[in-house]
Amino acid sequence: MVTPALVADRAACRGAGQCAFNAPELFDQDEEEGLVVVLQPFPSAEQLTTARTAVDSCPNRAIALTSAAPPATGARPSSPRAGSRWRAPSRSGDRSPRSDRSPS
Ligand code: SF4
């Protein structure tokens, strides 16, 4: 079964924040550099339209929605940008420093 997966190239990210603005349930930005953090690497069927909107809105093409099957051995989805560094999605989801904060 093919599961769509969100991947992010933090080396290409410039912290514009369009992804987190368009899909706050899927993306956040870290507090140190403002770079993208994938909150939900495997979006649900209901989240796919939002995920595609976020991917299309990124001015640096730093995020992508792959159609690769999730790796069983820890292999990473292919990158749309040659030579870039990718964060592999994890089943448990990436955790953002912002999501760890308690409400103030
Ligand atoms: S992934 Fe793209 S839209 Fe999101 S913060 Fe980085 S540059 Fe901005």
Side-chain angles (χ1 to χ4, degrees):
M1 179 176 152
V2 175
T3 301
L6 285 167
V7 291
D9 178 357
R10 287 169 53 91
C13 177
R14 296 296 176 261
Q18 292 299 310
C19 56
F21 177 79
N22 286 308
E25 70 277 19
L26 302 175
F27 299 99
D28 199 351
Q29 294 171 270
D30 69 43
E31 293 196 2
E32 290 85 30
E33 300 173 281
L35 299 180
V36 63
V37 175
V38 179
L39 299 176
Q40 180 58 265
F42 298 100
S44 68
E46 294 77 24
Q47 293 172 318
L48 286 178
T49 298
T50 301
R52 289 187 186 105
T53 299
V55 167
D56 291 344
S57 71
C58 176
N60 288 69
R61 302 180 62 88
I63 52 177
L65 188 63
T66 73
S67 57
T73 60
R76 297 178 179 185
S78 61
S79 164
R81 291 175 57 118
S84 60
R85 292 178 289 149
W86 289 88
R87 290 187 77 182
S90 65
R91 280 277 173 205
S92 60
D94 292 335
R95 296 199 49 134
S96 163
R98 289 182 183 177
S99 65
D100 291 337
R101 289 191 305 193
S102 58
S104 54

